[in-house]
Amino acid sequence: WPAIFLIGCVFNMARVVKALNIDTWLTEVLKPIMGMVMTNTFTMIVSIVVVIILLRFLITNMTSGSIIVAIVMMPSVMAAGINPWIVIFVAFTAANLFFFKYMSTIYLCAQFTTHGEMSDHWPMAKFCMAFTVISTIGFLVSVPFWKMFGLM
């Protein structure tokens, strides 16, 4: 039962943020910072990854965290002529992490169902760190291709 309640609460986080207008407030508060971040494509991508990592310490659902970042960045991204798909792709991929057990509801459910015997967490955390580094490098390498395809 605790896992079911956790999943129910976590999956509705994005709706709560939208209903309370937290997304609008964040967009206004972060406007000055967004101006600096949007000056360079590589800075923007690394910033998205860093913000997602920090946000995931607070919001356990990767979908909610990604949606919040995408909604907050959308006005600046579209004004800069960048396809919103890039922000959404980077945010959702970067959010697929679980440095700690609580950061992934899927991981928590697997741990609940196996009574904590699925695996040791430290090897999984090391894999997560490697995934984060490799995916960030992949994003940065993709920038010339995204420009070639007219997405930037």
Side-chain angles (χ1 to χ4, degrees), residues 5-80:
F5 285 117
L6 172 71
I7 291 168
C9 292
V10 165
F11 283 144
N12 288 303
M13 184 69 70
R15 289 185 189 135
V16 170
V17 167
K18 189 77 172 157
L20 296 176
N21 292 321
I22 295 171
D23 57 335
T24 307
W25 175 76
L26 279 173
T27 302
E28 289 301 316
V29 169
L30 296 176
K31 263 187 185 175
I33 296 170
M34 292 303 294
M36 291 183 290
V37 167
M38 297 305 296
T39 58
N40 182 315
T41 306
F42 297 104
T43 305
M44 179 194 75
I45 290 172
V46 171
S47 297
I48 293 170
V49 172
V50 169
V51 167
I52 285 287
I53 290 170
L54 295 174
L55 195 57
R56 291 280 283 131
F57 281 99
L58 301 173
I59 300 176
T60 59
N61 183 283
M62 68 183 245
T63 305
S64 296
S66 300
I67 289 171
I68 291 167
V69 168
I71 288 171
V72 168
M73 290 194 73
M74 231 25 88
S76 299
V77 167
M78 295 187 65

Side-chain angles (χ1 to χ4, degrees), residues 50-116:
V50 169
V51 167
I52 285 287
I53 290 170
L54 295 174
L55 195 57
R56 291 280 283 131
F57 281 99
L58 301 173
I59 300 176
T60 59
N61 183 283
M62 68 183 245
T63 305
S64 296
S66 300
I67 289 171
I68 291 167
V69 168
I71 288 171
V72 168
M73 290 194 73
M74 231 25 88
S76 299
V77 167
M78 295 187 65
I82 297 171
N83 191 307
W85 175 85
I86 292 173
V87 173
I88 294 167
F89 176 71
V90 172
F92 271 90
T93 304
N96 193 17
L97 54 86
F98 46 93
F99 297 120
F100 299 103
K101 290 179 186 180
Y102 77 90
M103 294 175 95
S104 171
T105 52
I106 296 168
Y107 187 81
L108 279 176
C109 288
Q111 287 289 356
F112 277 133
T113 57
T114 62
H115 303 291

